[in-house]
Amino acid sequence: QVQLVESGGGLVQAVGSLRLSCAASARTFSSGQMGWFRQSPGEERKFVAVISRSGDYTYYADCVKGRFTVSRDGAKNTVYLQMNSLKPEDTAVYYCAAAFSGILSSIRTPSQYNYWGPGTQVTVAT
């Protein structure tokens, strides 16, 4: 079964906004701490944000703090990444991922996540 599917990527001008969505299976959503990562060509996949199972706690990479907001909707089994004040350096393929274990503040590497979506491209024009 498909565990995670991202949507909402596209082309946006610098300082613009975009909201990404990640639809999860009910089982994955209920048990997963849901994270967002991004990867540019030739670079390693980097942590962006994560939200707790309850939705009460979030952590962000320093480079997106104050600009991005992660949230989750239990009724829709969906996690969101609201991206504001976008910069060209935010251009990347964005992935959502589920981690079934680990301390929320410490799960910041791809190896700590169990399931991944296929990714959605975000391009920020200069």
Side-chain angles (χ1 to χ4, degrees), residues 12-41:
V12 64
Q13 297 292 317
V15 310
S17 298
L18 203 61
R19 188 180 75 161
L20 305 183
S21 299
C22 177
S25 68
R27 188 169 183 171
T28 297
F29 189 86
S30 64
S31 60
Q33 300 169 106
M34 304 299 295
W36 286 95
F37 288 76
R38 67 188 185 187
Q39 186 170 23
S40 299

Side-chain angles (χ1 to χ4, degrees), residues 7-10 12 17-22 36 69 71 73 76 78-84 86 120 122:
S7 63
V12 64
S17 298
L18 203 61
R19 188 180 75 161
L20 305 183
S21 299
C22 177
W36 286 95
T69 302
S71 61
D73 185 338
K76 298 180 179 180
T78 300
V79 61
Y80 302 95
L81 185 67
Q82 177 67 46
M83 305 184 294
N84 298 326
L86 283 162
T120 185
V122 172

Side-chain angles (χ1 to χ4, degrees), residues 20-66:
L20 305 183
S21 299
C22 177
S25 68
R27 188 169 183 171
T28 297
F29 189 86
S30 64
S31 60
Q33 300 169 106
M34 304 299 295
W36 286 95
F37 288 76
R38 67 188 185 187
Q39 186 170 23
S40 299
E43 299 183 0
E44 296 181 341
R45 191 166 298 187
K46 299 295 181 64
F47 170 80
V48 175
V50 64
I51 188 167
S52 65
R53 296 180 180 90
S54 66
D56 291 335
Y57 302 95
T58 58
Y59 291 92
Y60 299 90
D62 289 342
C63 60
V64 306
K65 198 173 300 180

